[in-house]
Amino acid sequence: MDANNGRAVASQPVIQDDGDITAWLNDGGDWVYGLHDYRATLFAYSLKERRIVKEVRELGFGHHCKESLIFGPDGRIWGVTRECVFAVDRLLERKERLADYEDRMLLPHSRFGFCAGPDGHLYFLNGPRLMRVNHE
């Protein structure tokens, strides 16, 4: 979208499949990372090539949450599912389950966000609880 007039600059389907892209993450370079919930696929979309250039299909970490990707303290892509916190390297070659937790959401689809606090820790909501990921 053009910030001056609201017109679309570019618009194209990224994945031709059921489901939604539930999270985007950009480090300012050529690749934008996305998470497709139906296939549990983490992918890298090249802005220059205008196509998906890498992907990890079927992550296998459980149901993904919306806006659940963030760059972790180690530089990898970290994410939250209804079961765990996970990490994937930026080249999308290695994935790791970092920590399991008990899901306390009454409406599982209502979990949003994964954010960094001023203390350097990562936070997310879990029902009436605020979860802090201790990475030390």
Side-chain angles (χ1 to χ4, degrees):
M1 301 297 293
D2 186 313
N4 296 314
N5 59 29
R7 291 188 187 138
V9 174
S11 176
Q12 71 181 86
V14 176
I15 294 180
Q16 304 288 335
D17 203 344
D18 291 335
D20 295 309
I21 297 172
T22 60
W24 288 106
L25 186 60
N26 183 351
D27 67 358
D30 177 43
W31 284 11
V32 176
Y33 299 96
L35 180 62
H36 185 253
D37 63 351
Y38 181 70
R39 297 282 179 206
T41 298
L42 181 64
F43 62 90
Y45 180 86
S46 169
L47 297 172
K48 291 177 187 168
E49 297 180 42
R50 299 179 88 166
R51 67 180 184 89
I52 293 175
V53 292
K54 288 278 277 225
E55 63 184 7
V56 179
R57 289 191 159 270
E58 301 295 338
L59 284 167
F61 294 132
H63 292 92
H64 294 275
C65 305
K66 296 185 185 313
E67 299 303 326
S68 63
L69 298 179
I70 193 168
F71 290 115
D74 58 3
R76 294 185 294 174
I77 300 164
W78 287 31
V80 175
T81 71
R82 287 176 28 198
E83 299 173 13
C84 73
V85 175
F86 67 91
V88 179
D89 70 291
R90 290 188 190 209
L91 295 177
L92 305 186
E93 295 174 347
R94 290 180 304 281
K95 62 183 184 175
E96 178 183 1
R97 188 180 199 111
L98 299 175
D100 293 319
Y101 70 93
E102 181 182 346
D103 182 21
R104 297 183 183 271
M105 294 295 286
L106 295 176
L107 300 169
H109 61 278
S110 65
R111 185 190 328 268
F112 293 87
F114 199 13
C115 62
D119 60 0
H121 293 287
L122 301 179
Y123 293 87
F124 65 95
L125 297 175
N126 184 14
R129 300 163 192 261
L130 177 63
M131 306 292 283
R132 181 178 85 174
V133 181
N134 187 358
H135 55 79
E136 299 170 345

mmCIF file of all heavy atoms in Angstrom, residues 72-98:
data_model
loop_
_atom_site.group_PDB
_atom_site.id
_atom_site.type_symbol
_atom_site.label_atom_id
_atom_site.label_comp_id
_atom_site.label_asym_id
_atom_site.label_seq_id
_atom_site.Cartn_x
_atom_site.Cartn_y
_atom_site.Cartn_z
ATOM 1 N N GLY A 72 14.412 -14.316 18.278
ATOM 2 C CA GLY A 72 14.785 -14.608 19.646
ATOM 3 C C GLY A 72 16.130 -14.012 20.014
ATOM 4 O O GLY A 72 16.846 -13.459 19.169
ATOM 5 N N PRO A 73 16.508 -14.148 21.272
ATOM 6 C CA PRO A 73 17.760 -13.574 21.758
ATOM 7 C C PRO A 73 18.998 -14.186 21.096
ATOM 8 O O PRO A 73 20.063 -13.579 21.107
ATOM 9 C CB PRO A 73 17.729 -13.863 23.261
ATOM 10 C CG PRO A 73 16.748 -14.977 23.422
ATOM 11 C CD PRO A 73 15.765 -14.844 22.306
ATOM 12 N N ASP A 74 18.840 -15.358 20.492
ATOM 13 C CA ASP A 74 19.965 -16.023 19.819
ATOM 14 C C ASP A 74 19.970 -15.759 18.311
ATOM 15 O O ASP A 74 20.767 -16.325 17.573
ATOM 16 C CB ASP A 74 19.927 -17.524 20.081
ATOM 17 C CG ASP A 74 18.630 -18.189 19.625
ATOM 18 O OD1 ASP A 74 17.765 -17.492 19.039
ATOM 19 O OD2 ASP A 74 18.478 -19.393 19.867
ATOM 20 N N GLY A 75 19.045 -14.895 17.832
ATOM 21 C CA GLY A 75 18.987 -14.557 16.416
ATOM 22 C C GLY A 75 18.118 -15.475 15.580
ATOM 23 O O GLY A 75 17.826 -15.174 14.423
ATOM 24 N N ARG A 76 17.696 -16.603 16.150
ATOM 25 C CA ARG A 76 16.811 -17.499 15.417
ATOM 26 C C ARG A 76 15.381 -16.971 15.440
ATOM 27 O O ARG A 76 15.055 -16.058 16.191
ATOM 28 C CB ARG A 76 16.840 -18.908 16.039
ATOM 29 C CG ARG A 76 18.175 -19.597 15.911
ATOM 30 C CD ARG A 76 18.131 -21.006 16.430
ATOM 31 N NE ARG A 76 17.887 -21.041 17.886
ATOM 32 C CZ ARG A 76 17.693 -22.145 18.592
ATOM 33 N NH1 ARG A 76 17.719 -23.328 17.998
ATOM 34 N NH2 ARG A 76 17.483 -22.085 19.889
ATOM 35 N N ILE A 77 14.533 -17.574 14.631
ATOM 36 C CA ILE A 77 13.110 -17.266 14.628
ATOM 37 C C ILE A 77 12.472 -18.101 15.729
ATOM 38 O O ILE A 77 12.597 -19.329 15.733
ATOM 39 C CB ILE A 77 12.483 -17.620 13.265
ATOM 40 C CG1 ILE A 77 13.156 -16.820 12.160
ATOM 41 C CG2 ILE A 77 10.987 -17.405 13.302
ATOM 42 C CD1 ILE A 77 12.888 -17.366 10.774
ATOM 43 N N TRP A 78 11.820 -17.448 16.667
ATOM 44 C CA TRP A 78 11.121 -18.141 17.742
ATOM 45 C C TRP A 78 9.626 -18.014 17.502
ATOM 46 O O TRP A 78 9.155 -17.014 16.953
ATOM 47 C CB TRP A 78 11.470 -17.539 19.096
ATOM 48 C CG TRP A 78 12.856 -17.863 19.595
ATOM 49 C CD1 TRP A 78 13.970 -18.085 18.825
ATOM 50 C CD2 TRP A 78 13.266 -17.980 20.940
ATOM 51 N NE1 TRP A 78 15.055 -18.333 19.639
ATOM 52 C CE2 TRP A 78 14.652 -18.275 20.936
ATOM 53 C CE3 TRP A 78 12.611 -17.862 22.152
ATOM 54 C CZ2 TRP A 78 15.378 -18.457 22.104
ATOM 55 C CZ3 TRP A 78 13.331 -18.034 23.326
ATOM 56 C CH2 TRP A 78 14.701 -18.339 23.295
ATOM 57 N N GLY A 79 8.876 -19.036 17.913
ATOM 58 C CA GLY A 79 7.434 -19.024 17.752
ATOM 59 C C GLY A 79 6.733 -19.680 18.921
ATOM 60 O O GLY A 79 7.364 -20.382 19.726
ATOM 61 N N VAL A 80 5.421 -19.469 19.004
ATOM 62 C CA VAL A 80 4.592 -20.038 20.070
ATOM 63 C C VAL A 80 3.469 -20.838 19.436
ATOM 64 O O VAL A 80 2.827 -20.384 18.486
ATOM 65 C CB VAL A 80 3.971 -18.930 20.944
ATOM 66 C CG1 VAL A 80 3.014 -19.515 21.964
ATOM 67 C CG2 VAL A 80 5.037 -18.144 21.654
ATOM 68 N N THR A 81 3.238 -22.035 19.964
ATOM 69 C CA THR A 81 2.059 -22.821 19.617
ATOM 70 C C THR A 81 1.238 -22.997 20.886
ATOM 71 O O THR A 81 1.607 -22.479 21.945
ATOM 72 C CB THR A 81 2.432 -24.217 19.060
ATOM 73 O OG1 THR A 81 2.938 -25.027 20.135
ATOM 74 C CG2 THR A 81 3.455 -24.121 17.945
ATOM 75 N N ARG A 82 0.156 -23.749 20.810
ATOM 76 C CA ARG A 82 -0.645 -24.024 22.008
ATOM 77 C C ARG A 82 0.045 -25.006 22.936
ATOM 78 O O ARG A 82 -0.457 -25.290 24.020
ATOM 79 C CB ARG A 82 -2.017 -24.569 21.612
ATOM 80 C CG ARG A 82 -2.894 -23.491 21.038
ATOM 81 C CD ARG A 82 -4.228 -23.967 20.531
ATOM 82 N NE ARG A 82 -4.776 -25.151 21.155
ATOM 83 C CZ ARG A 82 -5.736 -25.885 20.629
ATOM 84 N NH1 ARG A 82 -6.257 -25.541 19.462
ATOM 85 N NH2 ARG A 82 -6.186 -26.942 21.245
ATOM 86 N N GLU A 83 1.207 -25.530 22.528
ATOM 87 C CA GLU A 83 1.915 -26.527 23.324
ATOM 88 C C GLU A 83 3.304 -26.102 23.772
ATOM 89 O O GLU A 83 3.790 -26.575 24.786
ATOM 90 C CB GLU A 83 2.074 -27.813 22.512
ATOM 91 C CG GLU A 83 0.788 -28.442 22.093
ATOM 92 C CD GLU A 83 1.010 -29.618 21.154
ATOM 93 O OE1 GLU A 83 2.152 -30.092 21.018
ATOM 94 O OE2 GLU A 83 0.021 -30.049 20.539
ATOM 95 N N CYS A 84 3.961 -25.264 22.965
ATOM 96 C CA CYS A 84 5.377 -25.027 23.235
ATOM 97 C C CYS A 84 5.886 -23.732 22.618
ATOM 98 O O CYS A 84 5.210 -23.086 21.837
ATOM 99 C CB CYS A 84 6.211 -26.190 22.707
ATOM 100 S SG CYS A 84 6.352 -26.237 20.903
ATOM 101 N N VAL A 85 7.123 -23.416 22.991
ATOM 102 C CA VAL A 85 7.909 -22.378 22.334
ATOM 103 C C VAL A 85 8.939 -23.119 21.501
ATOM 104 O O VAL A 85 9.542 -24.089 21.967
ATOM 105 C CB VAL A 85 8.604 -21.470 23.373
ATOM 106 C CG1 VAL A 85 9.526 -20.472 22.697
ATOM 107 C CG2 VAL A 85 7.562 -20.764 24.236
ATOM 108 N N PHE A 86 9.137 -22.679 20.253
ATOM 109 C CA PHE A 86 10.071 -23.367 19.364
ATOM 110 C C PHE A 86 10.994 -22.357 18.702
ATOM 111 O O PHE A 86 10.752 -21.145 18.747
ATOM 112 C CB PHE A 86 9.322 -24.182 18.308
ATOM 113 C CG PHE A 86 8.547 -23.347 17.314
ATOM 114 C CD1 PHE A 86 9.131 -22.926 16.124
ATOM 115 C CD2 PHE A 86 7.233 -22.986 17.565
ATOM 116 C CE1 PHE A 86 8.422 -22.147 15.214
ATOM 117 C CE2 PHE A 86 6.512 -22.222 16.659
ATOM 118 C CZ PHE A 86 7.119 -21.800 15.482
ATOM 119 N N ALA A 87 12.050 -22.855 18.076
ATOM 120 C CA ALA A 87 12.987 -21.996 17.340
ATOM 121 C C ALA A 87 13.374 -22.676 16.032
ATOM 122 O O ALA A 87 13.471 -23.899 15.958
ATOM 123 C CB ALA A 87 14.234 -21.725 18.170
ATOM 124 N N VAL A 88 13.592 -21.849 15.001
ATOM 125 C CA VAL A 88 14.044 -22.312 13.693
ATOM 126 C C VAL A 88 15.141 -21.349 13.243
ATOM 127 O O VAL A 88 14.994 -20.133 13.405
ATOM 128 C CB VAL A 88 12.887 -22.321 12.662
ATOM 129 C CG1 VAL A 88 13.371 -22.786 11.299
ATOM 130 C CG2 VAL A 88 11.732 -23.197 13.144
ATOM 131 N N ASP A 89 16.229 -21.887 12.691
ATOM 132 C CA ASP A 89 17.294 -21.004 12.218
ATOM 133 C C ASP A 89 16.804 -20.207 11.004
ATOM 134 O O ASP A 89 15.853 -20.593 10.330
ATOM 135 C CB ASP A 89 18.562 -21.790 11.887
ATOM 136 C CG ASP A 89 18.404 -22.651 10.661
ATOM 137 O OD1 ASP A 89 17.645 -23.648 10.728
ATOM 138 O OD2 ASP A 89 19.029 -22.345 9.641
ATOM 139 N N ARG A 90 17.465 -19.098 10.706
ATOM 140 C CA ARG A 90 16.995 -18.191 9.648
ATOM 141 C C ARG A 90 17.121 -18.779 8.245
ATOM 142 O O ARG A 90 16.464 -18.306 7.326
ATOM 143 C CB ARG A 90 17.742 -16.866 9.713
ATOM 144 C CG ARG A 90 17.351 -16.051 10.923
ATOM 145 C CD ARG A 90 17.961 -14.687 10.849
ATOM 146 N NE ARG A 90 17.796 -13.988 12.103
ATOM 147 C CZ ARG A 90 17.708 -12.678 12.201
ATOM 148 N NH1 ARG A 90 17.776 -11.928 11.122
ATOM 149 N NH2 ARG A 90 17.567 -12.107 13.362
ATOM 150 N N LEU A 91 17.932 -19.803 8.069
ATOM 151 C CA LEU A 91 18.029 -20.469 6.770
ATOM 152 C C LEU A 91 16.965 -21.557 6.624
ATOM 153 O O LEU A 91 16.898 -22.236 5.604
ATOM 154 C CB LEU A 91 19.426 -21.044 6.563
ATOM 155 C CG LEU A 91 20.550 -20.013 6.480
ATOM 156 C CD1 LEU A 91 21.907 -20.705 6.351
ATOM 157 C CD2 LEU A 91 20.316 -19.054 5.327
ATOM 158 N N LEU A 92 16.169 -21.756 7.664
ATOM 159 C CA LEU A 92 15.078 -22.743 7.696
ATOM 160 C C LEU A 92 15.600 -24.161 7.465
ATOM 161 O O LEU A 92 14.995 -24.943 6.744
ATOM 162 C CB LEU A 92 13.981 -22.382 6.693
ATOM 163 C CG LEU A 92 13.387 -20.983 6.823
ATOM 164 C CD1 LEU A 92 12.210 -20.811 5.854
ATOM 165 C CD2 LEU A 92 12.966 -20.667 8.236
ATOM 166 N N GLU A 93 16.698 -24.464 8.133
ATOM 167 C CA GLU A 93 17.287 -25.805 8.006
ATOM 168 C C GLU A 93 17.184 -26.627 9.277
ATOM 169 O O GLU A 93 17.188 -27.846 9.225
ATOM 170 C CB GLU A 93 18.750 -25.673 7.570
ATOM 171 C CG GLU A 93 18.882 -25.073 6.178
ATOM 172 C CD GLU A 93 20.316 -24.803 5.775
ATOM 173 O OE1 GLU A 93 21.211 -24.842 6.647
ATOM 174 O OE2 GLU A 93 20.533 -24.530 4.581
ATOM 175 N N ARG A 94 17.123 -25.969 10.427
ATOM 176 C CA ARG A 94 17.057 -26.691 11.707
ATOM 177 C C ARG A 94 15.955 -26.109 12.579
ATOM 178 O O ARG A 94 15.812 -24.898 12.680
ATOM 179 C CB ARG A 94 18.390 -26.594 12.437
ATOM 180 C CG ARG A 94 19.496 -27.388 11.758
ATOM 181 C CD ARG A 94 20.826 -27.281 12.499
ATOM 182 N NE ARG A 94 21.295 -25.916 12.681
ATOM 183 C CZ ARG A 94 21.896 -25.178 11.762
ATOM 184 N NH1 ARG A 94 22.096 -25.664 10.572
ATOM 185 N NH2 ARG A 94 22.297 -23.951 12.025
ATOM 186 N N LYS A 95 15.186 -26.995 13.196
ATOM 187 C CA LYS A 95 14.123 -26.572 14.103
ATOM 188 C C LYS A 95 14.334 -27.244 15.453
ATOM 189 O O LYS A 95 14.950 -28.314 15.539
ATOM 190 C CB LYS A 95 12.749 -26.921 13.532
ATOM 191 C CG LYS A 95 12.524 -28.403 13.332
ATOM 192 C CD LYS A 95 11.171 -28.677 12.708
ATOM 193 C CE LYS A 95 10.938 -30.176 12.614
ATOM 194 N NZ LYS A 95 9.610 -30.503 12.123
ATOM 195 N N GLU A 96 13.834 -26.596 16.496
ATOM 196 C CA GLU A 96 14.029 -27.127 17.850
ATOM 197 C C GLU A 96 12.856 -26.724 18.735
ATOM 198 O O GLU A 96 12.409 -25.575 18.714
ATOM 199 C CB GLU A 96 15.321 -26.552 18.433
ATOM 200 C CG GLU A 96 15.620 -26.985 19.838
ATOM 201 C CD GLU A 96 16.879 -26.337 20.404
ATOM 202 O OE1 GLU A 96 17.525 -25.530 19.716
ATOM 203 O OE2 GLU A 96 17.200 -26.642 21.562
ATOM 204 N N ARG A 97 12.361 -27.675 19.512
ATOM 205 C CA ARG A 97 11.341 -27.412 20.533
ATOM 206 C C ARG A 97 12.093 -26.923 21.764
ATOM 207 O O ARG A 97 12.920 -27.649 22.307
ATOM 208 C CB ARG A 97 10.576 -28.700 20.805
ATOM 209 C CG ARG A 97 9.392 -28.547 21.678
ATOM 210 C CD ARG A 97 8.723 -29.921 21.851
ATOM 211 N NE ARG A 97 7.372 -29.765 22.293
ATOM 212 C CZ ARG A 97 6.291 -30.033 21.557
ATOM 213 N NH1 ARG A 97 6.429 -30.522 20.347
ATOM 214 N NH2 ARG A 97 5.095 -29.843 22.028
ATOM 215 N N LEU A 98 11.818 -25.703 22.218
ATOM 216 C CA LEU A 98 12.569 -25.112 23.324
ATOM 217 C C LEU A 98 11.951 -25.364 24.691
ATOM 218 O O LEU A 98 12.660 -25.638 25.650
ATOM 219 C CB LEU A 98 12.722 -23.602 23.111
ATOM 220 C CG LEU A 98 13.477 -23.175 21.864
ATOM 221 C CD1 LEU A 98 13.444 -21.662 21.723
ATOM 222 C CD2 LEU A 98 14.910 -23.686 21.907
#
